[in-house]
Structures are given as structure tokens and as C-alpha cells.
Amino acid sequence: MIRWFYKLPLRFRSLFQKSVVEKELTEELQLHLDKLTEEMRAKGMTPEQARYAALRELGGVEQIKEECRDMRRVNFVENLVQDIRFGFRMLAKNPGFTALAVFALAIGIAVNTAVFTAFNSTALRPIQAADPDRTVAVYRSAIGDESGGAVSYADYLYYREHNRSFAGLFAASDTEVSLSDLGGVGGGNAPSGGITALLGIRFFEQMAGTAEIGRAAMVSENYFSVLGIPPFMGRTFAAHEPFPVVMLSYNFWERRFRSDPSLVGKTLKLNGKPFTVIGITPKDFIGTYPNAPSVWLPVSAFRLLEAARDPLHNTTDRCCEMFGRLKNNVSKQLAQAEMTVLAEHLRRSHPTGSRNDQPATISLESASPFHTPDNPQAIAMLAAFMSAVGLVLLIACANVAGLQLARSAARRKEIGMRLALGASRGRLIQQLLTEASLLAVTAGGAGLVASWFAERFLENSVAAALPPVWGFLAINVNPDIRVFGYTLVVSLVTGILFGLAPALETTNPNLTSVLKEEGAGFTGKLRGQRLRHFFIAAQVAICLVLLIAAGLLARGSARAVRLDPGFETKKILALDFEVPPGLGYDAAKMADIVRRMVDRFKAVPGVTQVAEGRVPLGGGLRSTKVYLDPSARQSNAPAPELYYSYVSPNYFQTLSIPIVRGRAFTEEEARASAPVTVISEATAKKLWPAQDPIGKRVTLDASKQYHGSDEPFPSGQAFQVIGISKDIRSAWLNEIDPGLFAMPLPPTRYIETIMIRADNDPNALTAAIGREAKAIDPNVVVYAETLDGLVTMNPGFVISRVAAVFSAVIGLLGLLLAAVGIYGMVSYAVVQRTHEVGVRIALGAARGDVMSLILRQSARPVAVGLLIGLVASVAVSRLLSSLLFGISSLDPVAFAGVSSFLMFVALVACVLPARRATRVDPMVALRHE
Amino acid sequence: MSKPTDLVQGTLDLLILKTIALEPMHGWGIAQRIRQVSREVLQVNQGALYPALHRLEQSGWIRAKWGESDNNRRAKFYSLTPAGRKYLEQEEANWKRLSAAIGLVLEMS
């Protein structure tokens, strides 16, 4: 509109060239005044009289000026600027208050922003495609079919050829591959640092030199062209690739090959077959997968990688999910209808009775890999998270409101004066809210940065710790415009939340009471005091429970590392074999490979023993039903379930587990798979109390228990007890195995872990061991870890350590918030009682008396909170006892240490503001009246 | 002559616009002109004139330019913007309709 052409420059002039505009206004009015004076003189007045008459006629010059300023309509903006300036001055005047409030609010805002960022970078993330709005997932759903909408490759080809709705339709599947002959730089995992190192948790590391296992995305050749994603380097797949080709994900290329650009054109071996590298996908490109795979392959590569599976021709193998890009003029409904018709055509072509014979419909969904189609659980979880962090923010707000109240009580005189001088209440509230919002927005900025750093740190450490076979984490937690907007809105709402109540209270137009310094009497009965005290007590109690739990868990997990599990841990290297599914190795072949490896390893210098069997504390220990009377097996009578393990004869010697009675088995017994067993002391006590177990027979049956398909397991045979071994902790670090049978490992079977005993540091052996393993079979993936390290992977340890850190973090943040609350409460009390304190001092009270008076009254809610917290902690810690590794659930160190720490923090929060009371000058305080 | 009539709120705008429709004028001039033309019946409250001028300027109906007044003093001259001219026509028409209607009512009763 044309008027803006005149209006805008004026607004800017009024705002930014204020002095010029003011001068012009003065000049304009002066001219008028002079003219009026002239006129009056013409009527015959003296100059003096004329001037007064003119002034009378015109009215108050300053009022006119103010009215003109109002007309310029920038008053609101000017006021705001003025308020912001004033607000900054007020905040800078009380740096302690400002820092405390910003800090407390930043905690609240940071946790909210963090949760929103996580939500934003997953659920709200659009698919990475040139046209994300028209790129859709194509789900086939049939009654009673829970396969998640996948179709066979042949069906995919049918849809692709016959549909007219899509500009392109592509298929996606995935599998694991073993990568060998990679050469180049470094082995498997990058050194895991960050949070896992902080927690003291380790992950199995892949051995350098052996095959590596990776995640392979299997896609139709048109995948990248339909999505419209160009490669980072090289090219994407062409329609018919005559030779086996592979693309690497940027993330894998970066981590495994240190971004070596010469890799394109070279050859890699996947499951033992050579593939030429033709390109690198863009950084963090995940396409339709939840994270970035190691390699991208055309679906046709299934033929080479997994010959036995052959999903390309097997119409019952629903290997593929379909995705497509809609043509520009085709609606979703139309495409859905067309595809459903095609599905009906296809149904008739399938043999009756097959899974594909059901009437099916096709629906189009969001192609984003994080899309959860109307999942009420996901929504409920998000809601739960949001309300939890919302609650944290509310607590922060309440504490800062207490602080604000204390401060505005100190400003009551100032505000009362302004009201008396005619400032409108709305104007004052606007000013107080501006101050509160300033605080909140500053805190919002700090919170945003804090949550960004925290999430970056978490993401990087999780990404570094994940084994490549799980894919590469490619979640972008950098704040975008949505996150900025969210944080800003949350900050402003926060500002109003904690600022409004104090603003309303202090601008209460009940002027007289304000100027009379409302009865901050000797009674100590202050408005809202009880609620504030209750609130403080509750916070103290909750923090105490969390921190005591953290203390107990931290001490428990520290104890766990020093615990003697009953076997040698320092000198043992545990190997874990993994066979990629595509290789088609059976149990006999793997048993042969493992035996040959064991023989080769024995010859490595520095190796003293190599034993086969499940590694203690390595997980996967199986259990069996135990019958002392063989006939009880048929009667289905309840039988105890105890652990069993198949091991090589030198197992006990290798791990330094003493045989206390009888003997271990011999090589001959192992070769013959003799039905003999060595039991642990606990087993002996449980099954044959007060009897000699040696020579006794026991029937074991694990056929109805869980076990791997290629594993040896007892299936109803009777075993003769030939020895008793000392008790160890092999299933759980926190308890001695309640029962354990060791049986000789048959020659045709294998267990996927072995233990190598070194005469010195086992870590020094890994390079040589890796070389030997590769020489036997380059496609078998080998992980290595010392038994010491395995202790820190034991679930008991991990749970207690992670729980310790989490409850410590939450507890400490809570404690900081509570400290802010206590500080605010005491400050408020001090301000309100300034007069009283003045009287007391004037009447001869010592400063120390005043201090202890204030402290005594403030300490009451803290003490109540501590008491409740201690009682609750006793109840909670009993639940934790299984994670404490022998530390008492009433451990005095944790209880006393944490309580006194909390008391100390509370005391500091009390003393700092209470000191102000002792500095009250009685004359000043009394003159307040 | 009776006491000069107080200006009805809103009519001041119309008077100002009409007054400066012929030629650019400064505040004093506008006040004088309104008084003369209305044969001293309408006495502009001088204090109210300037806020009104500023409001009209801010609304984009009139614009101001500094120029020389009759005795060589710098003065702020107000003139109509094109939008202001249109607005004046509208307001004039409105006013005429209104006063005609009021006249009718007064005659009828």
C-alpha cells in the first residue's frame, strides 16, 4: 500500500533519529508560540504579558510534546527498548541473582530442548530425497499378515513394470556381510572414547587383520536416481551392472579408510567375492534406513553373497520393502488405488494356500525411516518424556519465582513509589515481565548451547562405540529453525511463568500497605510460607533419594571391578568368532576351523594355554534341568535348573580354577565324548549335602531349554561326577554360580568363544593372533577382549554403572535447583524481616544470634526433607541390593556421605543470603518506617 | 458573537485536510485559516492541533517539509499525500451525507 511509503521512513526516523525529531518538534512549537506572542503584542500588550498570554493560549508545551510523541506510535517499542535497557541494568546490578536464576532456568530449558531436538531429528526428519513430499513408502498389508509390508523381489518387479502412478519405484533390503582384504588403514572400531570411557564400560573390539562384519543395504539399481541423491564421489548404480559393484557409505569410508579418495575403482572382498568400488554416498546419507550402512549393493548381489538364499527368484522370500516417487500429477489416493488393483492381479498369479494368496491392500506412508505410523505407544512415550522434562522446567520456574519474589520484595518501595507517582500498573507489569523474559531468554540461549553440546557429545560417543554391523549413527542434532523456535517459545513462556506471580504481587495497588512496609512482624507468619517450605522439603527429599542411590551404585560398581570372580582375569584373552550368514559354514566346518586356529594359537610365542568353551562372564551361559533320579525325567516332575558348559580338558588349568576334589577330564574322555562332568562346590552342596558326590550319577536334559542350533547340549544322558571345582562367578558378577556342570566338548562341535592364556600381558598378543586367524580363514570375524575387560561388559556392572551416572546427574541437577530454591526462600525471609532484625540488633542481639535465628528457621524444611529422604532411601536401596556386589544396601559411607554433602550444599544456600541479615544497620532498618 | 464552538473530535482532521488541500501550510497558518474561513466560529484548540498533525502524518495522509515562512523563518509545511487526498474526498462525502441526514431529521421533527 502506498501509505507505507510515507509511514515507514517516519517510524524509523522517530526510532533512530530521536534527537532530530525532538528538535524539530520544539522548533515547530516555538514558531507557533512566537506568532501567538506577536499577535498578542499587536493587541497592545507588553512583551511580558504577551508571552504569558501566548503560553496560556497554547497550553502546556511539554504536554503537547508528549501527546505528539504518543502520536508517533513508537512508544510501545521505545518502552520496550527502555525496559530492556533497564532490565539489563537491574540484572547486572545483581550478578549473583542473575547467575543463579539463569543457571536454574538453563537446566530446565536445556532438558526440554534436548528432548525436543531428539524428537526433531528423528520423528520430524523428512526423508533425504530431492522431492521428499512425493517420496513415499509403499506398504502391502493383508489380513493376518504381520510381515511389515514387504514383498518378494518378483512381485516388486511386477509393480514396477505395471504401475503408471510412480516416476520411479525402488526396492530396499539389507543383510550382514563379511569384508576382507580391506588393507589400508587400521582395523575395525575406532577407539571408543567419550561416554563409554567415562562410564568405564568397554566394547568388544574387532581384531585387526581378520574379516570385518558390516551392514549392507541391498537396493534396486534405481534407488539413488529415484531419490535424486547424487553420490559424494564416483557414481551410483546403473540399470544393468555387468560386474559386481559396491558403493561405500561416507561414514564407513571415513572411519575405516580415513577418507582415502583413491579407494574408488579398487576392489573389496565381500563374503569372499570381489566387488569393485564405484562410489561413495554423501555424508550421513541414510536413505530409507534408520542409520547408515557400511556398504550399498544392488539387490542382484544377493546371488553372489548368499547363494543359498537367492531372494531374486524365490517368490516366497519377501525380501524387499518398496518405496517410490509419485508422478507430479498423481495423488496418493490414485496411486494407492492403482497399486491395490495390481496387488489383486498378483494375488491370482500366486499358488493358492501360499502367504501371498490373501487379498491385500496397498497403502502409501511416509518414507522417512523414523516414521512410526500412528503408533500410540510412541506418542505415549513422547508425552511421558515431555511431561517429565516439563516438570523439571516447572520446578526450575518455581524456584526462580521464589528468588524473584525475594528480590521484588526488596524492590517494593521502588515500585510503590512509581505507582504513587502515577505509573500505570500495566506499565509496571510490562517492565517486570520484560525483565523476567530477559532472564529467561538468556537462560534459553545458555540452555540451547548446553543441550547442543550434551547431545553432540552423546551422539559422537554412541556413534564411536557402535559396532559397524549395527550401522552408523547419522542423526543430526544440530539445532535448526524449529529447535530455535521451540527454545524461544519455551523461554518466553518460562519468563511469563516465573515472572507473572511476583509481578502481580509487587504491583498490587494496595499502596498503603506497601508504603507502611507491610507487617513483616515478629510472628514470622508470612504469606505462602508453608507452601514454599513444603516445596523445598520435597525437593530435598527427592534429591537425597537419587543421590544416595547414585552413591550406592557407584560404590557397588567400583567394588565389582575389584571383585575376585574365582578365576584368572589378568592374563586371559577371550576371542569371539562370528560367521556372516552368507558364507554357509555348518557346525562341522566351523568346529574344524576353530580346532585349527586353537592349534595355531598354541604355537604363538607368549601363549601358554588355549582353552575352548564359553567364556565366564561373557554371557550366553545355558541352563539345564537336573534329575538325580533318571525316571523322574519322564514324570515331568519339577526339577532344579542349573548352568552347564561344554569345555576343553585344559579349561580349569587355563583359567586357574582349582579342582578341590577328584580330577578334571582327560583328552581321551574329550575325544570319546565321555558322559562325565566336573561340578562346582555349590552344585555339590545343593545336590548331595553331606555326601561325597564323586562317582554319583546325574541326568541332565536341556532339550526344552534355550540353546543355539549348532551347540552341544545334554539331552537326557546320565553323567558321572568325576571332580569338584572351586566356585566361580561366571553367569553374573554379583553372585557365585548357584550350580554349574562342566562337560567335555565333543570333537565335532564348537563353542564360538575360546580363551588364550598369555604368560604376560594378553593385549600384546592380539596382532600375532589376528594374523594367524586370518591365515586359517580370512572370512571369519574375530573379536578379542581380555577377561578383565569382560568384567566391565557384564550386564550387572553396566546396569549399576549407568544407573549410578544417570541418578547422579539427575540428582545433582535437582540439588542445584533445590539449592536455588533454598537460597530464594532464605533471601525472601531475610528481606521481609529486615525491620525485625534491626530492632533485635538495636535491643542488643549479637550478630551471631541473628544469624542462628535465621538459619534455625530456614533449616527446618531442609531437615524435614532430609528425614523423609533418608526413610525413602532405605526403602529404595533395598531394591538395588542385587546391583551392589556385596555392599550393604544401608552402606554407611553412601548414606552418611551423601546426606552430609547435601546438608553442606543446603547450608551454603542458607548462609549466603542469611549473612545479609547480620549486616543490617539498625539505624537504617528502623528508619524504614 | 457566541462563544467559539469546541471542535467535535474527528472533525479536526477533516478541517486540517481540507485546509491544506489548496496549498502546503504550517501549523500556525492552519489554525489561522480555519478561524478566518469559519468566520471566527471555529476556534481551533491550539494545543490539540499539533498532536492531530503528527497523527495524520504518521498515518500517511499528510507529509511535512521544511520551508521558509513569510518572515524568513524555518517552518514545517504540511501537504496532502495522494492517499490523503483520496481520504479527504471520502471523509468529505461522508460528512456531507451525515450533515444532510441530520438536517433532514431536524426539519422533519
Side-chain angles (χ1 to χ4, degrees), chain A residues 747-880:
Chain A
T748 55
R749 297 301 183 97
Y750 80 104
I751 301 291
E752 63 270 15
T753 52
I754 63 172
M755 289 138 278
I756 300 171
R757 181 167 187 142
D759 53 11
N760 224 323
D761 177 17
N763 284 310
L765 293 175
T766 49
I769 299 281
R771 266 197 306 277
E772 297 295 330
K774 188 187 175 191
I776 302 273
D777 190 319
N779 293 316
V780 174
V781 182
V782 184
Y783 297 96
E785 187 55 70
T786 62
L787 281 199
D788 243 0
L790 267 183
V791 170
T792 69
M793 296 180 204
N794 189 270
F797 172 83
V798 173
I799 292 170
S800 82
R801 192 44 79 85
V802 171
V805 170
F806 272 83
S807 45
V809 167
I810 299 171
L812 282 178
L813 289 182
L815 179 59
L816 288 169
L817 290 183
V820 170
I822 293 171
Y823 187 98
M825 170 189 74
V826 179
S827 316
Y828 189 51
V830 169
V831 169
Q832 293 237 306
R833 300 174 71 170
T834 305
H835 176 65
E836 174 200 343
V837 168
V839 171
R840 281 176 191 266
I841 291 177
L843 290 178
R847 310 255 154 180
D849 296 340
V850 170
M851 180 90 167
S852 69
L853 171 78
I854 299 273
L855 283 188
R856 258 206 317 280
Q857 299 207 343
S858 318
R860 207 173 300 142
V862 176
V864 170
L866 276 173
L867 212 66
I868 295 171
L870 277 174
V871 172
S873 294
V874 171
V876 168
S877 65
R878 202 161 296 166
L879 301 176
L880 296 175

Side-chain angles (χ1 to χ4, degrees), chain A residues 575-846:
Chain A
L575 297 195
D576 189 352
F577 303 111
E578 194 174 336
V579 192
L583 284 179
Y585 290 1
D586 59 8
K589 171 144 190 175
M590 267 312 289
D592 177 52
I593 291 173
V594 171
R595 287 296 125 69
R596 272 158 54 209
M597 285 195 182
V598 167
D599 288 340
R600 292 282 283 262
F601 294 159
K602 279 177 179 162
V604 171
V607 172
T608 57
Q609 294 271 5
V610 183
E612 291 173 66
R614 207 167 291 287
V615 176
L617 292 178
L621 203 64
R622 316 282 192 228
S623 59
T624 177
K625 294 209 175 219
V626 180
Y627 305 92
L628 291 180
D629 173 13
S631 60
R633 194 160 71 89
Q634 269 74 32
S635 66
N636 261 341
E641 281 181 33
L642 299 174
Y643 295 119
Y644 71 90
S645 181
Y646 281 85
V647 298
S648 62
N650 62 348
Y651 173 83
F652 298 101
Q653 206 188 339
T654 308
L655 291 179
S656 301
I657 302 171
I659 304 289
V660 291
R661 278 179 57 73
R663 59 176 179 85
F665 16 84
T666 61
E667 292 289 341
E668 289 70 39
E669 281 168 329
R671 261 195 293 280
S673 308
V676 291
T677 179
V678 173
I679 61 174
S680 67
E681 285 176 305
T683 323
K685 242 175 259 157
K686 181 169 275 168
L687 297 179
W688 295 282
Q691 281 186 60
D692 184 5
I694 301 285
K696 290 272 190 304
R697 300 177 79 81
V698 59
T699 303
L700 304 179
D701 186 2
S703 41
K704 292 206 181 69
Q705 254 61 28
Y706 172 78
H707 48 76
S709 55
D710 289 344
E711 282 174 18
F713 60 89
S715 50
Q717 303 95 321
F719 291 84
Q720 187 174 28
V721 177
I722 58 166
I724 300 173
S725 65
K726 209 147 177 67
D727 277 327
I728 60 169
R729 298 160 189 263
S730 69
W732 295 92
L733 193 54
N734 41 3
E735 62 172 26
I736 280 173
D737 296 337
L740 178 64
F741 295 91
M743 276 91 76
L745 180 65
T748 55
R749 297 301 183 97
Y750 80 104
I751 301 291
E752 63 270 15
T753 52
I754 63 172
M755 289 138 278
I756 300 171
R757 181 167 187 142
D759 53 11
N760 224 323
D761 177 17
N763 284 310
L765 293 175
T766 49
I769 299 281
R771 266 197 306 277
E772 297 295 330
K774 188 187 175 191
I776 302 273
D777 190 319
N779 293 316
V780 174
V781 182
V782 184
Y783 297 96
E785 187 55 70
T786 62
L787 281 199
D788 243 0
L790 267 183
V791 170
T792 69
M793 296 180 204
N794 189 270
F797 172 83
V798 173
I799 292 170
S800 82
R801 192 44 79 85
V802 171
V805 170
F806 272 83
S807 45
V809 167
I810 299 171
L812 282 178
L813 289 182
L815 179 59
L816 288 169
L817 290 183
V820 170
I822 293 171
Y823 187 98
M825 170 189 74
V826 179
S827 316
Y828 189 51
V830 169
V831 169
Q832 293 237 306
R833 300 174 71 170
T834 305
H835 176 65
E836 174 200 343
V837 168
V839 171
R840 281 176 191 266
I841 291 177
L843 290 178

Side-chain angles (χ1 to χ4, degrees), chain A residues 486-506:
Chain A
Y486 176 83
T487 310
L488 187 67
V489 169
V490 166
S491 306
L492 290 176
V493 170
T494 303
I496 290 169
L497 265 183
F498 79 79
L500 196 58
L504 286 179
E505 175 151 346
T506 37

Side-chain angles (χ1 to χ4, degrees), chain A residues 99 128 162 294 343 383 394 414 540 544 560 564 634 679 800 827 843 863:
Chain A
Q128 289 160 298
H162 291 83
S294 304
L394 271 184
E414 169 206 333
V540 168
L544 187 68
D564 177 18
Q634 269 74 32
I679 61 174
S800 82
S827 316
L843 290 178

